[in-house]
Amino acid sequence: MFLKRVTLQHDRIASYKEYPYSIPTIKHLDQLELTKKVTFFVGENGSGKSTLLEAIADKCEFNTAGGGRNNAYDLERSESALGNAIRLSWLPKVTNGFFLRAESYYHFASHIDDVGAQEGYGGRSLHEQSHGESFFSLFSNRFKGKAIYLLDEPEAALSPQRQLSFLKLIHDLTTKSDCQFIIATHSPILLGYPEATIFSFDNGKIAETEYESTDHYQITSYFLQNRERFLQDIFRED
Ligand SMILES: Nc1ncnc2c1ncn2[C@@H]1O[C@H](COP(=O)(O)OP(=O)(O)OP(=O)(O)O)[C@@H](O)[C@H]1O
Ligand SMILES: [Mg+2]
């Protein structure tokens, strides 16, 4: 693995009143130690996962609209305010990799068509494949070698079966190849990857947690085991 630590340089922050420093998890961040090849960011909507992931992508010089270093298409390349205050500690530094942002994936697919690079993505326009197929074709064709992959909710397009295939792909890329992953996810399937660090963004701070302690595991597991009672509870008139 390559990226060892993410540090927030508080001396570069003038005020905590505005985005992104007003987000509690960001405000309270000092250092994040990355000790495993796979790191997950998990937590409630709006807790700051994408903000931090995008800042890391920015510091990696990946296109913050999604893509790697060579995908310098203009569309929606947004400045990451947080990028200015983040320091990345590498050993060794890698420049290969990719930032996947589910929202702007469509534009990324158009860009690949525009530059005629379909060969690297399964030989067919990503637009001519279904959402899940094209995601998977990106994952299985483009991801290789010494690289760092930053993925924001990659499960969005994937069926449960494909999520399992994706786990196998992550396993192969971290064992047979030298890849590192940081993944923001809400998927209880992806989170179940063994040998990963899970950082929870809940309760206003970033803290390491166990799979079984995440809401994603607990709520899904409870729901599947007690669906009728659970639904009665949430539909009940007050
Ligand atoms: N460009 C922006 N300007 C101002 N506030 C923003 C901006 N982008 C995000 N926010 C706010 O920052 C907070 C964190 O957003 P972020 O997208 O990082 O959350 P998240 O943990 O990725 O959530 P989700 O699980 O829904 O994807 C939210 O309250 C959001 O409304
Ligand atoms: Mg997000």
Side-chain angles (χ1 to χ4, degrees):
M1 55 176 290
F2 313 103
L3 181 58
K4 295 284 189 323
R5 188 179 307 121
V6 178
T7 309
L8 183 62
Q9 298 171 291
H10 286 275
D11 54 341
R12 294 194 170 197
I13 302 170
S15 158
Y16 293 91
K17 290 214 170 75
E18 282 175 20
Y19 176 83
Y21 307 110
S22 54
I23 302 171
T25 48
I26 304 298
K27 193 187 298 180
H28 298 129
L29 171 64
D30 289 316
Q31 285 192 344
L32 220 52
E33 301 286 344
L34 307 180
T35 55
K36 306 240 172 89
K37 285 182 166 184
V38 180
T39 304
F40 288 110
F41 290 173
V42 72
E44 254 317 314
N45 294 127
S47 56
K49 303 177 301 294
S50 297
T51 301
L52 183 58
L53 200 62
E54 187 181 301
I56 297 172
D58 191 26
K59 291 304 273 184
C60 288
E61 294 175 39
F62 296 161
N63 189 328
T64 52
R69 282 200 176 207
N70 298 328
N71 301 117
Y73 58 108
D74 289 337
L75 207 110
E76 287 180 22
R77 193 195 193 291
S78 49
E79 280 293 305
S80 160
L82 185 56
N84 299 325
I86 287 280
R87 193 177 67 221
L88 303 184
S89 308
W90 301 87
L91 199 72
K93 169 102 170 123
V94 290
T95 54
N96 251 340
F98 196 93
F99 175 45
L100 175 87
R101 219 188 143 103
E103 309 92 283
S104 46
Y105 182 73
Y106 180 87
H107 302 296
F108 176 74
S110 302
H111 166 74
I112 297 302
D113 279 0
D114 289 348
V115 300
Q118 295 92 330
E119 276 314 307
Y121 299 87
R124 208 151 53 104
S125 163
L126 292 175
H127 282 307
E128 291 169 16
Q129 304 176 38
S130 82
H131 194 199
E133 286 168 348
S134 69
F135 258 62
F136 213 79
S137 136
L138 173 71
F139 297 148
S140 47
N141 291 291
R142 164 77 200 255
F143 292 8
K144 53 180 88 127
K146 287 186 193 317
I148 180 161
Y149 294 108
L150 311 171
L151 312 177
D152 201 353
E153 299 185 30
E155 71 273 17
L158 301 176
S159 70
Q161 184 60 53
R162 281 268 162 101
Q163 291 188 40
L164 295 175
S165 309
F166 186 54
L167 290 181
K168 161 82 171 125
L169 196 65
I170 294 178
H171 176 75
D172 288 349
L173 286 168
T174 50
T175 51
K176 296 180 195 153
S177 198
D178 207 358
C179 292
Q180 181 175 0
F181 288 87
I182 305 179
I183 304 174
T185 185
H186 290 297
S187 162
I189 297 181
L190 295 191
L191 275 179
Y193 186 80
E195 280 303 303
T197 301
I198 303 178
F199 285 118
S200 157
F201 281 55
D202 284 336
N203 307 315
K205 58 182 189 338
I206 305 177
E208 198 172 332
T209 190
E210 296 299 317
Y211 178 55
E212 291 80 4
S213 305
T214 60
D215 274 356
H216 301 64
Y217 171 86
Q218 290 185 1
I219 294 176
T220 309
S221 153
Y222 186 76
F223 182 81
L224 294 175
Q225 285 168 35
N226 308 275
R227 184 164 67 100
E228 283 180 17
R229 188 148 46 107
F230 196 89
L231 291 174
Q232 271 168 15
D233 278 355
I234 56 176
F235 294 163
R236 197 174 44 221
E237 302 278 341
D238 294 322

